[in-house]
Amino acid sequence: MLPGHLEPTLVDLLGKILGRSVSILKCSPVRGGCIHHATELKTGQGSFFLKYNRIEELANFQAEARGLRLLESAGALKVPQVLLVSDSGSHAFILMEFILPGPHSDDFWTTFGHSLANLHWNTSSRYGLDHDNFIGRLSQSNTWHNNWISFFIEERMGAQLKLAKQKGLTSSNLHTAFEALFKRLPNLIPDEPPSLLHGDLWSGNFLVGPKGEACIVDPAVYYGHREAELAFTRLFGGFEPQFYSSYMNAWPLKEGWEERVGLFNLYPLMVHLNLFGKGYLREIYDILSKFS
């Protein structure tokens, strides 16, 4: 059951979008993220995907909508169409196309890898984005930079280190280790043009659509180093080998990218440290020691 005034607000706004009266028949919870409530909204006009939370999360939903629309405009991978982002006074929500799940196509991973390379062909002259957004529930600063190293240090690692310090999750040893790493980064990371990235691409942030195709969701978009995206896909077990070989056939990464995976994954690991606590410190220290 939907809370409070959310249902009549949805009925009213959805009716205006569709140009006809709408009735909500059923709400079925959808498995997925740990931040927002997610449900399949079944109506007389079909099914829609609804995420809602307290009104304080409105900015998060607005940023998600902007990210999905930016990815959609790139035309490389399927994303759910955003219908509206609004609030009911006490709750904020995002309503979008419901992706009917299907089985993997035979060439699912091959097509997915090639399509991600096509997404990354959308480039910018600078690293960042014209607006800030979120990764999970954390703010993500996307201030423009002319080079990846300064962007990675200031907008990614520095921001997370500052937050972790405020939360009492770090020590002087960790900060010293990061400062040493930052001095070495120009010699560790090869140049790449700023590519449009999903920004939070792991196995929980894609769906298999009705035609067996990949559909990407829950983005944290920005223009960044494409190795950061490929590294993120390896964070929680990785994708299938065909995905990586297909990507490499479409747009090869520079030699040694697999050795740099941990380096790029320091950012999502710091995000997880700030979201979930000190259980991620051991892996962070292990990566820092590897590159010291």
Side-chain angles (χ1 to χ4, degrees), residues 14-252:
L14 192 52
K16 291 176 181 177
I17 290 174
L18 299 178
R20 60 182 73 94
S21 62
V22 173
S23 58
I24 296 176
L25 305 177
K26 185 178 181 182
C27 297
S28 301
V30 176
R31 292 182 180 180
C34 57
I35 297 175
H36 308 298
H37 302 283
T39 184
E40 178 187 358
L41 196 68
K42 297 180 180 180
T43 77
Q45 305 300 328
S47 287
F48 302 91
F49 179 67
L50 172 71
K51 286 202 295 188
Y52 64 93
N53 211 323
R54 296 173 304 173
I55 187 64
E56 291 82 5
E57 298 294 337
L58 178 60
N60 195 308
F61 290 139
Q62 290 170 332
E64 179 179 356
R66 292 183 75 175
L68 286 169
R69 287 167 176 152
L70 180 57
L71 292 172
E72 182 181 29
S73 70
L77 280 155
K78 180 173 177 56
V79 301
Q81 180 185 9
V82 177
L83 297 176
L84 62 95
V85 177
S86 190
D87 69 89
S88 64
S90 59
H91 288 82
F93 61 89
I94 180 171
L95 187 70
M96 64 186 82
E97 171 189 7
F98 182 78
I99 303 296
L100 188 67
H104 286 75
S105 62
D106 292 340
D107 62 348
F108 174 83
W109 290 108
T110 299
T111 301
F112 193 1
H114 188 273
S115 297
L116 185 67
N118 286 340
L119 174 66
H120 292 168
W121 277 114
N122 292 268
T123 59
S124 171
S125 61
R126 294 178 294 170
Y127 299 89
L129 197 62
D130 62 358
H131 63 277
D132 295 339
N133 49 27
F134 296 83
I135 183 161
R137 186 168 266 144
L138 300 183
S139 298
Q140 179 170 263
S141 173
N142 294 316
T143 301
W144 292 112
H145 285 253
N146 290 324
N147 68 83
W148 169 255
I149 301 301
S150 66
F151 179 85
F152 188 59
I153 292 174
E154 295 180 30
E155 312 306 329
R156 293 295 178 261
M157 301 313 307
Q160 292 301 317
L161 276 167
K162 181 179 179 180
L163 180 59
K165 183 177 181 179
Q166 292 171 350
K167 289 173 170 281
L169 297 171
T170 62
S171 65
S172 59
N173 289 339
L174 185 67
H175 287 267
T176 299
F178 267 109
E179 288 299 327
L181 174 67
F182 292 163
K183 293 177 182 178
R184 299 192 62 218
L185 284 181
N187 297 319
L188 295 174
I189 298 178
D191 290 334
E192 284 281 353
S195 289
L196 179 59
L197 308 182
H198 173 281
D200 192 1
L201 189 58
W202 64 289
S203 59
N205 280 346
F206 74 83
L207 311 171
V208 183
K211 297 180 181 179
E213 76 280 30
C215 177
I216 52 177
V217 297
D218 294 337
V221 299
Y222 66 100
Y223 288 92
H225 199 295
R226 60 196 180 102
E227 284 191 26
E229 188 103 287
L230 274 295
F232 214 132
T233 69
R234 301 279 290 269
L235 189 58
F236 300 112
F239 294 1
E240 293 298 318
Q242 303 96 302
F243 171 86
Y244 301 100
S245 60
S246 178
Y247 184 98
M248 293 291 286
N249 286 334
W251 191 4

Side-chain angles (χ1 to χ4, degrees), residues 252-274:
L253 294 167
K254 293 182 179 177
E255 184 178 356
W257 76 272
E258 290 184 288
E259 285 71 42
R260 293 187 290 272
V261 164
L263 185 60
F264 284 96
N265 276 343
L266 283 169
Y267 175 58
L269 287 170
M270 286 296 298
V271 168
H272 279 74
L273 172 69
N274 282 316

